[in-house]
Amino acid sequence: NFVLNNRKAPKPLRGNMVLVVPVGSVLPTFNKPKFVYTAFCCPLKVNEKYKLSLYLNTAELSFNGLAFYFTEKEPTQFTVNGLVNNPSIIINTNNIDADYKYGWKHISAEYTATGKERFCIITTAGLPAIDYEMKNSMNKSGDIFYCIDDIILKPTTLQNNCATYDSIKKILYNQNYRHSENVKAFLEDVFVKPTIRFKNDTLTIPGLLFDVGKANVTKGIAKILDSLIRNLDSNKLVKLSILGHTDNSGDSIKNEQLSNDRAISVKNYLATTQPAIGHKLFAQGKGQTLPKVPNTTLQGRQLNRRVELIIYTSFITK
């Protein structure tokens, strides 16, 4: 398959094509669950038992599992997170029942239907995250893939094809868009692309909370930062700028260094307690260059000695 490096691409067990399922990335920033999905050509019958069977090839990597979510709604990039809460089937090494050539393994599992299943999502969402090594990369983007061949979900008792089989199959074969384009296959679930908007809020840490002339995070500062972390939605966070400021007392170069040290101390505290947002944190010392109020009074100089956290977040509107 052209998506994979030649040394990783497995030869199909049958035919000429395989289903390529993204399962991770060697780059921590991009190592988030991705998914592929399809629709059932026939609705599943409530309380009926079904058997899932497939051939799996992990391109010489260890198999860490896959989750199958059977949903009533068709997923898109913006809605899939709300659909992958409770896996319908989780497959792991216990589901391997045979080994085949070219590194392929046969997997099987059983499922009892609820009667509401219309779509099948295959992903690693809901499973423990895996840290991959750079050498495991399967393309220039650093992605990791599993390959699937001959995947089948069928009832354990003999049934005839339903009336919708051919029509749904035709819709699926006509779906030529990537999931990331958010174009749904089924007209009754027409997707209205949401608008992504941005906003920013500012949290100020007064200079009085720092020890005089020092940059260490005191208990008072930690209390403020812990409260911020508890209320921060890391998924909506775009960037968090941490800017240190001083008044105009003393040497301007030393003021700039102190403001920078304080900003970095705050950044390090947030990155240590919330490593998932570490790549979104930016710290800089502004010294005495951006006073909040004139430095003509004692009160004014106190207000200017501060660290500002500017929190940039995104939200979706239709």
Side-chain angles (χ1 to χ4, degrees), residues 119-134:
F119 299 92
C120 171
I121 303 170
I122 308 175
T123 180
T124 54
L127 303 179
I130 305 297
D131 292 327
Y132 292 99
E133 298 181 36
M134 193 63 66

Side-chain angles (χ1 to χ4, degrees), residues 17-132:
M17 298 296 293
V18 296
L19 173 64
V20 179
V21 181
V23 296
S25 173
V26 300
L27 306 175
T29 304
F30 298 99
N31 194 15
K32 299 176 181 179
K34 301 178 183 179
F35 70 99
V36 295
Y37 83 96
T38 189
F40 294 121
C41 290
C42 293
L44 304 192
K45 296 183 178 181
V46 61
N47 294 328
E48 185 79 36
K49 290 186 180 298
Y50 291 80
K51 182 178 180 180
L52 173 71
S53 66
L54 58 93
Y55 294 95
L56 179 80
N57 195 310
T58 61
E60 302 177 359
L61 295 181
S62 60
F63 177 44
N64 298 304
L66 277 175
F68 288 72
Y69 294 85
F70 300 155
T71 66
E72 192 172 6
K73 298 289 186 180
E74 183 176 3
T76 69
Q77 181 183 5
F78 290 103
T79 64
V80 67
N81 288 336
L83 298 175
V84 291
N85 298 317
N86 298 306
S88 303
I89 300 175
I90 295 177
I91 60 173
N92 51 41
T93 54
N94 294 328
N95 298 98
I96 299 174
D97 52 30
D99 290 322
Y100 286 80
K101 58 184 178 180
Y102 312 133
W104 289 96
K105 300 180 184 297
H106 187 264
I107 285 179
S108 60
E110 283 198 350
Y111 174 72
T112 302
T114 65
K116 295 183 178 180
E117 301 88 347
R118 291 183 58 209
F119 299 92
C120 171
I121 303 170
I122 308 175
T123 180
T124 54
L127 303 179
I130 305 297
D131 292 327
Y132 292 99

Side-chain angles (χ1 to χ4, degrees), residues 6 16 20 22 25 35 40 44 52 89 100 122 124 144 148 168 176 186 196 202 219-220 235 240 245 262 278:
N6 289 331
N16 300 311
V20 179
S25 173
F35 70 99
F40 294 121
L44 304 192
L52 173 71
I89 300 175
Y100 286 80
I122 308 175
T124 54
I144 306 295
I148 290 177
I168 291 183
N176 293 318
F186 294 85
I196 301 178
T202 301
K219 290 183 178 180
N235 291 322
L240 202 164
H245 301 274
R262 287 178 172 179

Side-chain angles (χ1 to χ4, degrees), residues 77-222:
Q77 181 183 5
F78 290 103
T79 64
V80 67
N81 288 336
L83 298 175
V84 291
N85 298 317
N86 298 306
S88 303
I89 300 175
I90 295 177
I91 60 173
N92 51 41
T93 54
N94 294 328
N95 298 98
I96 299 174
D97 52 30
D99 290 322
Y100 286 80
K101 58 184 178 180
Y102 312 133
W104 289 96
K105 300 180 184 297
H106 187 264
I107 285 179
S108 60
E110 283 198 350
Y111 174 72
T112 302
T114 65
K116 295 183 178 180
E117 301 88 347
R118 291 183 58 209
F119 299 92
C120 171
I121 303 170
I122 308 175
T123 180
T124 54
L127 303 179
I130 305 297
D131 292 327
Y132 292 99
E133 298 181 36
M134 193 63 66
K135 65 181 181 181
N136 298 139
S137 173
M138 294 184 182
N139 63 12
K140 293 181 180 180
S141 299
D143 294 313
I144 306 295
F145 300 97
Y146 292 161
C147 293
I148 290 177
D149 206 354
D150 280 5
I151 180 170
I152 300 171
L153 182 75
K154 64 180 181 180
T156 56
T157 58
L158 184 63
Q159 296 180 13
N160 295 324
N161 279 348
C162 60
T164 60
Y165 184 88
D166 290 330
S167 60
I168 291 183
K169 180 179 177 181
K170 183 177 181 179
I171 291 172
L172 292 174
Y173 273 68
N174 288 335
Q175 171 68 312
N176 293 318
Y177 295 92
R178 292 175 56 85
H179 305 326
S180 57
E181 294 177 273
N182 292 298
V183 179
K184 288 191 174 184
F186 294 85
L187 296 179
E188 67 268 29
D189 294 321
V190 174
F191 178 72
V192 178
K193 186 175 182 179
T195 300
I196 301 178
R197 301 186 184 278
F198 301 90
K199 67 176 182 177
N200 64 75
D201 297 294
T202 301
L203 173 66
T204 300
I205 300 175
L208 290 173
L209 294 179
F210 286 93
D211 292 332
V212 177
K214 295 183 178 180
N216 57 297
V217 174
T218 62
K219 290 183 178 180
I221 298 171

